[in-house]
Amino acid sequence: MSSIETSPNDTEATKVSIGNAEKDNERKQDEKRQKKQQQEESGSEHNFSVAWKGARAGLSLLIAILIGGACVSVLEDGWSFEDGCFFCLTVISTVGYGGNPPKSTGGKAFTVVLAIGMVPPAAFFLNDIANACI
């Protein structure tokens, strides 16, 4: 059998390499700690931005319902502004109550445009609310 001989230089090189690896591990752990601390500190800012995003989406939906209600009440004979807003709310929320559908061609066309244009933003709004609550 042959024995492996090591020189003093090899032993010192191994010690240096182990020391460098330990320093790298410590540096990585420090970076992880700092990153975690930054995430914890910015958590309140994130919640505020999600809440603000949800508030903007909600305000946009409210404006769409009011404008849509005004449009439907003009297009449909005998509809009040409140009836138009209720109808827009049922279309945008996809409830589809069906109590008083539009009878005119303009009212039906407006309903199609309203549904295509406002149902996806309403879904994003509900998603933002869910994210803010979780």
Side-chain angles (χ1 to χ4, degrees), residues 75-76 102-113:
L75 291 170
E76 292 295 317
K103 293 174 180 58
S104 71
T105 305
K108 291 176 183 178
F110 178 77
T111 301
V112 169
V113 171

Side-chain angles (χ1 to χ4, degrees), residues 6-134:
T6 59
S7 67
N9 290 337
D10 288 341
T11 306
E12 287 183 29
T14 304
K15 288 179 184 178
V16 168
S17 122
I18 291 173
N20 288 340
E22 289 175 354
K23 287 179 185 178
D24 284 343
N25 285 337
E26 288 176 13
R27 183 182 49 83
K28 287 178 184 178
Q29 288 176 355
D30 286 342
E31 288 174 0
K32 284 181 183 179
R33 276 189 233 115
Q34 289 174 353
K35 191 173 185 179
K36 186 176 180 180
Q37 185 179 7
Q38 288 173 352
Q39 287 174 346
E40 289 173 357
E41 290 172 358
S42 67
S44 60
E45 294 172 12
H46 174 71
N47 289 340
F48 177 75
S49 68
V50 169
W52 175 243
K53 185 178 176 184
R56 287 186 309 191
L59 184 61
S60 299
L61 284 175
L62 178 63
I63 290 170
I65 290 169
L66 294 176
I67 291 172
C71 291
V72 171
S73 64
V74 168
L75 291 170
E76 292 295 317
D77 290 333
W79 282 31
S80 67
F81 176 70
E82 292 83 13
D83 291 338
C85 287
F86 178 74
F87 175 75
C88 288
L89 177 64
T90 59
V91 169
I92 290 172
S93 66
T94 69
V95 170
Y97 182 63
N100 195 9
K103 293 174 180 58
S104 71
T105 305
K108 291 176 183 178
F110 178 77
T111 301
V112 169
V113 171
L114 180 72
I116 291 172
M118 290 308 299
V119 169
F124 285 121
F125 170 65
L126 293 174
N127 183 36
D128 290 341
I129 289 176
N131 286 337
C133 293
I134 294 176

